[in-house]
Amino acid sequence: MTARTAGPLNERHEVLGILLFVFAGCGFVVLSALAGTATIMASGLPAVVPVAWNGQALAVAGAAWWMGLAAALAGLAIWIIRAKAKRTLLPWAIVDCALMAVLIVVVWLFAL
């Protein structure tokens, strides 16, 4: 494996990879807030959620949050490992950010 060379394209890829990992981390915070809100609503505190949706909302919110946590921890580990090895971060950052976006949409559509 070759070391990265300092060039404008590689620097832009690294900055974009770092930004996408940061956005994925912020996405996990948003996912946590949405999943928490869905769980509170599904537990019947504000009586606006039909009873039939409670189990589905709890299951979707819980599964999405656990998958988001796993993705966030994996993304953090990949960031640390690849940054120490001076390897590109961009492909993994794209996957991490896209996964967080999908999980947010799933919670928004199916649990709220």
Side-chain angles (χ1 to χ4, degrees):
M1 288 181 239
T2 61
R4 290 182 292 189
T5 59
L9 182 61
N10 285 338
E11 289 174 7
R12 277 186 251 146
H13 281 184
E14 289 308 304
V15 170
L16 184 58
I18 290 169
L19 284 174
L20 285 176
F21 269 126
V22 169
F23 288 150
C26 293
F28 180 68
V29 172
V30 171
L31 175 67
S32 295
L34 285 176
T37 301
T39 302
I40 288 170
M41 288 176 63
S43 66
L45 290 177
V48 294
V49 178
V51 176
W53 288 12
N54 285 347
Q56 177 189 359
L58 285 171
V60 168
W65 188 83
W66 282 107
M67 284 189 266
L69 178 63
L73 292 175
L76 183 61
I78 288 170
W79 183 354
I80 292 169
I81 291 168
R82 292 189 69 88
K84 281 187 178 181
K86 305 242 187 258
R87 309 233 7 238
T88 185
L89 299 172
L90 187 59
W92 293 101
I94 291 170
V95 169
D96 194 26
C97 195
L99 181 61
M100 284 299 169
V102 167
L103 290 172
I104 288 170
V105 169
V106 165
V107 170
W108 183 267
L109 292 177
F110 295 108
L112 290 179

